[in-house]
Amino acid sequence: MQLYTENNAAKLKIAFDAKRAYQNGTGLGHYSRTLITSLATLHPEHNYYLCAPKITDRFNIEPYKNIVNVTPQSFISKKLRSLWRSSGVKNDLLKLGVDIYHGLSHEIPVGIHKTGIKSVVTIHDLIFERYPEQYKWLDVQIYRKKFKYACQHADHIIAISIQTKEDIIKYYNIPEEKITVCYQSCNPIFEHTVSEHEKERVRTLYDLPSAFFLYVGSIIERKNLLNICKAYALLNDNISIPLVVIGEGDGYKIEVKKFVAENNLYNKVIFLSDNPVAQSNPAFRSASDFPAIYQMATAMVYPSVFEGFGIPVLEALWSRIPVITSNISCLPETGGDAAFYVNPYQPEEIANAFTTILNNKELVAQRVIKGLAHALKFTTANCAEAVYQVYLRL
C-alpha cells in the first residue's frame, strides 16, 4: 500500500527504538546513531522520536531540533523499563501520533501491528541461528522468539546485507518481497582525514606504538581474534609491528590472552580497551578518537567467521588503510574489490596477508584507492536515503 509519498510525507512522525543508540558503543549503537542523525539532517521536515529506556552520554541529540527523547514516565514503566520498551511504549507512540516505528535492532513492540502504526525492523544478522553453539541455550530461544516475531509482524524488514536477507528467508520463511537490503554506513567522522597533530595527540594519550595492525570488534569466538594471534605466532620474529585490539570480551578473551601468554606475544598484542585511560575517556567510549587510531594503523585485520555486514571493514576503507578480512559471509559485499581476502580458519593465510601488506607497497596503494571508491557506495546519505524510501513505500 502506497501510504506515504514525497508529496504527502511533509510532516511524518517517525519513532525509533533507541536503546542501542544510547547504550551500545559498537556496531548496533553506531548503526542507530548514524541512521538517526542522517535522517534528521537529510529530511529535517519530519519529527523524530527516540524511545530509550535510559539516556547516556553515548549520544548527543542537542544539535538536532527535530529529535526528541521519549523515556518511561510512569512509576511502573520506570521500574520495568524492559517491559516498557517491548510493549508499553505503544501508549506513548499513540499519544504522540507517531506514523512509523522503526525497530533498529531486531525487535518491535509486541502488538504494534494492532495500533495502526506502521512498523519497520532492521535485522542485522541471524548468527545465533547459524552458530547456536556459540550462545547460551536460553539466549537462543529468546532471540529466536523476538526476531521471528518482528519479522512476521513488522510491515517491512530491512536487511543490512544480501547475506542477511537470504538468512531471513531461510530460517523464518519470510517472503522475499517483504525484505529490502539497505546497506549500513559507518560514522561519517571516518570520512575525514585527521590532522597529524590530532594523530599525535591520540597516539600519546593511549601510548600507541609508531606502527601497528588494528583489530576492532567484540572479543568473541566468531570474530576470530585467536587465529590472528596464531598468525602472529607463525610469523614469530618476522613481524615486528604489534597488534592493537579494541574490544571487550569474557571467556573467549581469556582464551586469547592465555594463548598470548603461552606464546610470548605480550609485546605484540596490545589490548587497548584494558588501558585505564581508554576505559575512563568519553572520546574512546563514543569512538570519536577512533578515526585517528584507524588512520595511524598499518592495516585493519578483521577475519571474522560470520557477520551481518562488518562495519570495521567499511571504517577502514574510509580511513584509507588496507583491510585483511574473510572471503566468506557478507564480508566480500563490504570489502568489494579492495580487501585482502583470507580463509578465516587458516592462520597461515592471515600470516601471508600480513607479509603481503608489509612487503608489497604498490599493491597496498592500489587496494587503498579501490577501497575509497568502494566506500563511496556506502555514504551516510546513500544508506539513510535507502531506508527513507522504505518508509515512503509503507
Side-chain angles (χ1 to χ4, degrees):
M1 180 172 62
Q2 191 82 13
L3 182 62
Y4 304 116
T5 68
E6 292 288 357
N7 291 329
N8 68 10
K11 294 183 180 180
L12 285 177
K13 293 184 176 182
I14 303 170
F16 301 92
D17 174 9
K19 176 184 177 180
R20 306 295 182 184
Y22 279 109
Q23 297 185 33
N24 192 304
T26 55
L28 295 179
H30 294 330
Y31 171 79
S32 300
R33 290 185 290 271
T34 303
L35 178 60
I36 291 166
T37 54
S38 297
L39 287 169
T41 301
L42 293 167
H43 296 284
E45 67 274 20
H46 305 311
N47 294 318
Y48 301 91
Y49 300 89
L50 308 192
C51 302
K54 183 172 67 174
I55 305 300
T56 73
D57 63 358
R58 289 194 186 276
F59 193 23
N60 178 23
I61 66 168
E62 190 173 338
Y64 305 92
K65 303 307 178 185
N66 53 348
I67 300 180
V68 176
N69 285 321
V70 180
T71 57
Q73 295 298 311
S74 70
F75 176 80
I76 293 177
S77 63
K78 287 180 180 179
K79 291 294 183 182
L80 302 172
R81 293 175 186 269
S82 293
L83 183 61
W84 174 80
R85 174 177 175 250
S86 64
S87 180
V89 70
K90 298 193 302 292
N91 294 327
D92 297 277
L93 301 177
L94 288 168
K95 289 177 183 177
L96 291 167
V98 164
D99 300 295
I100 300 170
Y101 179 90
H102 188 165
L104 294 171
S105 55
H106 312 113
E107 301 177 51
I108 57 173
V110 174
I112 194 170
H113 60 288
K114 299 177 182 179
T115 65
I117 299 169
K118 294 292 182 179
S119 63
V120 177
V121 66
T122 295
I123 302 295
H124 296 263
D125 61 71
L126 295 181
I127 295 170
F128 70 92
E129 296 284 14
R130 282 183 169 268
Y131 301 99
E133 69 281 359
Q134 295 185 15
Y135 296 78
K136 296 177 182 178
W137 179 87
L138 182 59
D139 287 344
V140 170
Q141 308 312 309
I142 293 172
Y143 296 158
R144 181 175 293 146
K145 183 176 181 180
K146 287 183 175 181
F147 289 28
K148 191 173 184 179
Y149 180 90
C151 288
Q152 289 174 335
H153 292 91
D155 290 287
H156 203 77
I157 302 165
I158 288 173
I160 64 166
S161 66
I162 295 171
Q163 176 70 69
T164 297
K165 178 178 179 178
E166 291 174 349
D167 283 354
I168 294 168
I169 295 169
K170 174 183 177 181
Y171 288 104
Y172 298 152
N173 196 31
I174 301 297
E176 181 178 1
E177 59 271 17
K178 190 178 178 180
I179 310 167
T180 299
V181 174
C182 298
Y183 286 115
Q184 288 185 254
S185 60
C186 64
N187 193 319
I189 61 175
F190 287 93
E191 300 175 16
H192 305 292
T193 301
V194 177
S195 70
E196 292 302 317
H197 180 268
E198 175 66 5
K199 289 178 185 177
E200 285 309 310
R201 182 194 69 80
V202 171
R203 189 191 303 279
T204 301
L205 178 64
Y206 300 113
D207 194 24
L208 292 167
S210 58
F212 56 90
F213 287 104
L214 179 64
Y215 167 93
V216 179
S218 301
I219 305 177
I220 56 178
E221 184 177 354
R222 173 175 55 82
K223 301 283 189 178
N224 210 25
L225 178 58
L226 182 57
N227 273 348
I228 301 175
C229 295
K230 288 180 178 179
Y232 259 78
L234 287 172
L235 290 169
N236 200 1
D237 294 334
N238 293 320
I239 185 167
S240 59
I241 297 178
L243 173 72
V244 170
V245 175
I246 296 177
E248 301 288 354
D250 296 314
Y252 181 74
K253 181 178 180 180
I254 294 172
E255 183 182 352
V256 172
K257 284 193 166 185
K258 181 181 178 183
F259 180 88
V260 168
E262 291 173 348
N263 289 271
N264 196 27
L265 295 173
Y266 282 120
N267 295 326
K268 292 186 176 178
V269 181
I270 301 167
F271 292 89
L272 186 57
S273 297
D274 291 350
N275 184 318
V277 174
Q279 291 177 341
S280 63
N281 190 350
F284 188 87
R285 294 180 65 247
S286 68
S288 59
D289 279 345
F290 284 17
I293 297 173
Y294 272 71
Q295 290 176 34
M296 288 187 287
T298 301
M300 162 65 67
V301 193
Y302 199 75
S304 177
V305 170
F306 197 88
E307 291 292 324
F309 183 70
I311 281 290
V313 172
L314 182 58
E315 291 170 342
L317 296 182
W318 274 117
S319 300
R320 298 164 177 80
I321 61 173
V323 180
I324 299 170
T325 192
S326 302
N327 59 6
I328 58 175
S329 182
C330 67
L331 291 160
E333 292 182 64
T334 313
D337 60 353
F340 291 85
Y341 291 105
V342 298
N343 181 335
Y345 299 103
Q346 298 295 327
E348 297 84 359
E349 289 197 21
I350 300 172
N352 288 338
F354 280 134
T355 302
T356 299
I357 285 174
L358 290 174
N359 296 331
N360 195 333
K361 301 301 182 184
E362 183 177 348
L363 179 59
V364 167
Q366 293 171 355
R367 294 293 178 89
V368 167
I369 292 171
K370 288 183 177 181
L372 185 57
H374 186 67
L376 288 169
K377 300 176 183 178
F378 305 97
T379 63
T380 52
N382 286 346
C383 295
E385 191 59 31
V387 170
Y388 183 68
Q389 291 304 316
V390 170
Y391 298 162
L392 296 184
R393 293 196 303 269
L394 288 177

